[in-house]
Amino acid sequence: MATVTYRQALRDTLRAEMLRDEDVFVMGEEIGVFEGSYKITEGLLKEFGPRRVRDTPIAEEGFVGAAIGAAMLGLRPVVEIMTINFSLLALDQIVNHAAKIYGMFGGQCSVPMVIRTPGGGGQQLGATHSQNVELFYSFIPGLKVLAPSTPAEASAMLKAAIRDDDPVLFLENLALYNTRGELPDEVAPAEIGRAAVTRTGTDITIVAYSRMAHVAAEVAERLAGEGVSAEVVDLRSLRPLDRETVVESVRRTGCAVIAEDDWLTYGIGAEIAATIQEGAFDWLDAPVRRVAMAEVPLPYSKPLELAALPSADSLVTAVRDTLRATGRR
Amino acid sequence: MGDTDTRSPARPRRPRKSKPQPETLVAYYRQMLLIRRFEERAARAYTEAKIGGYCHLNLGEEATVTGLMAALEPRDYLFTNYREHGYALGRGIDARRVMAELYGRSTGVSKGWGGSMHLFDTESRLLGGYGIVGGQLPLATGAALAIDYRGGDEVVMCQMGDGTTNIGAFHESLNMAALWELPIVYVVVNNGLGMGTTVAHASAEPELYKRAAAYRMEGAHVDGSDVIAVRDAAHAAVERARAESKPFLLETTSPRLRGHSVVDPARYRTAEEKDALKAADPLARLALELEESGFLDAEARDKLEAEVRAEVDDAAAFADESPHPDVSTLFDYTYATPVPGASRRLPADPVF
Ligand SMILES: Cc1ncc(C[n+]2csc(CCOP(=O)(O)OP(=O)(O)O)c2C)c(N)n1
């Protein structure tokens, strides 16, 4: 067991998977010679050479599509899209092709590929470089969308994603790369499609994923000091969605707050709120609350950006309000 | 053949036209006739509402389709756009399975999931017809990348229409293929129109093969109504791609006889244009050539005609009698690796 960063866990896992399977290769902009914009692919070009670590032109639609085509012939490409913002240029290939090929051709051809891409605000990058648009992909049957929050989870889920026969969107958050966590010496591939109860509690359920799973843990810890027992559910997989774990938790606690790092309207939280309504309506003691990003293109200005992003403080407020609304305290 | 532009690095090769054996020519004629009768049948079945969705035909492009398919080895891969019935037949897929797909039946090449625009067959390495203009280009480029990765000697052919050359994916794909030296032949079937828009109206450089120059790629143009010329040009491109692992851009001029799809009456064409098209019909042209050279007399031609009609009738009957896919299979093809939580919910089912 070692303590490593999220970044290191991804790097080690990629390397291990490339050593394990000759069909696994990585491609993307600046991943080879430059060793990755966020250095996830550091050292890989030196070790594996340009055949398996392929620098691409700035051509998101082209190289994502090329990875899909390579996967159709049985290779297992792991594509890095510099940030999720640029994945929008590859939307046609991801949505109309990667997600559709298996079904559209009657199951004759699968697309075993992974698209890794970071997202998120908080870096003062302005409107076009600070967003989480995982919703677009989570909407699409045929895709699998993963958003691990810890190094151990990132490792287990990346392994699972690479070995899976379907196209997997693997979401990283810029704020997570330097976070640390324990990484067991042997990591088994995760089971795709399972949420985790990362902290048990009896008073309220906080549903979160990716960066917000950390914020939720912090908030639960803070509120424990006030005698609140919060349960935290980390979704981890946005598609398929583990509705059962969410609903079971809410049936136990009787109320829920959803913490999401995307925009409120039509967001991931809307889907979770609907799920709770459908699965735990009779158990609810208070309306479901959502804590989400302010619905603006994110500003560059530091105070404005901070005000727009969901934080521990905003989550604490929502949890307290919800508990008050239950009448239990 | 187009002009040789000596200033551009992409010098069109002048494909020699070889002298084929009579039986080869007759076989090509039969193939072209099969495509013709199949497509006429598809048009009829569409008006009878046996075929749904969109239905784009290869009528008028039979020489191009047949010539291109003759240039490929069985181990080579093919990607096409949605105008692909003829390619499926040319790849050797049973007309029954092609027609059944158009009818949406479980016996179709894509088990009824694809329809006219999305034929796919693993065995004959037809890796799909694609309904998004240009969508197949990055995929085909990636397939060539996979071949290169594994050191194989297969070649990818990627068919598209003239309108496709203005899509961003065209540029991105050709650039990567040239940069990475991939074994792929991009074929632009220039039928003069993208839906109702002429090449001149949409393309700043209407001699489409010349775009190869932008990628230091070789390009060539060939008369798409001449099956042997197409075959020879495509064969040269394919074998060069195989031997040297280099991409190629081949343009064939091949007017379509009818509208963009079965429902398009092609009002944008003048009466003179329509007459000119009839006069340039590649099937009639080959029939005449064969007759004049004494390779195929009227009697033999009638015999072929009867054979082909019987094959198409049989395909249509097979499609008609085949079952629709069972509704219980609706959730079978969402994921290749099954996952817990994948929805099997029909519209009115409760989530919990
Ligand atoms: C990206 C995209 N835009 C528009 C369409 C609608 N559309 C279907 S076919 C077509 C014309 C394409 O012409 P061309 O590439 O010349 O092929 P052809 O039909 O002549 O074979 C258009 C505009 C589409 N399917 N995909």
Side-chain angles (χ1 to χ4, degrees), chain A residues 92, chain B residues 56 61 81-83 117 131-134 159-165 167 189 191-197 256 260:
Chain A
D92 172 56
Chain B
H56 313 85
E61 300 177 357
N81 69 1
Y82 44 80
R83 194 183 297 286
M117 299 198 289
I132 304 288
V133 169
Q159 175 270 5
M160 73 195 87
D162 45 85
T164 311
T165 60
I167 289 258
V189 178
N191 58 24
L193 289 160
M195 292 183 74
T197 304
R256 59 168 150 83
H260 168 68

Side-chain angles (χ1 to χ4, degrees), chain B residues 58-204:
Chain B
N58 288 119
L59 292 169
E61 300 177 357
E62 295 90 345
T64 283
V65 177
T66 302
L68 290 174
M69 294 304 91
L72 292 180
E73 301 282 339
R75 66 181 183 282
D76 296 330
Y77 294 95
L78 175 68
F79 288 76
T80 69
N81 69 1
Y82 44 80
R83 194 183 297 286
E84 88 278 39
H85 307 162
Y87 294 91
L89 297 171
R91 222 38 202 141
I93 305 172
D94 189 344
R96 289 177 152 205
R97 296 179 58 225
V98 180
M99 192 65 90
E101 188 59 38
L102 308 194
Y103 280 50
R105 306 304 166 105
S106 63
T107 52
V109 274
S110 305
K111 299 190 190 133
W113 279 73
S116 164
M117 299 198 289
H118 306 119
L119 306 177
F120 187 105
D121 181 56
T122 311
E123 201 186 323
S124 64
R125 301 200 162 184
L126 167 60
L127 293 197
Y130 293 84
I132 304 288
V133 169
Q136 75 275 26
L137 272 74
L139 303 176
T141 307
L145 187 156
I147 292 167
D148 184 62
Y149 187 93
R150 291 189 163 137
D153 69 348
E154 305 93 337
V155 172
V156 176
M157 181 177 280
C158 178
Q159 175 270 5
M160 73 195 87
D162 45 85
T164 311
T165 60
N166 299 316
I167 289 258
F170 175 87
H171 161 71
E172 297 189 14
S173 297
L174 269 70
N175 183 57
M176 289 188 299
L179 201 59
W180 296 339
E181 302 190 333
L182 301 180
I184 180 164
V185 177
Y186 299 98
V187 179
V188 179
V189 178
N190 185 349
N191 58 24
L193 289 160
M195 292 183 74
T197 304
T198 61
V199 173
H201 198 57
S203 299

Side-chain angles (χ1 to χ4, degrees), chain A residues 17 155-161 163 187-192:
Chain A
E17 288 299 295
S155 177
M157 295 189 107
L158 184 58
K159 267 186 199 176
R163 298 178 196 190
V187 179
E191 190 181 4
I192 292 177

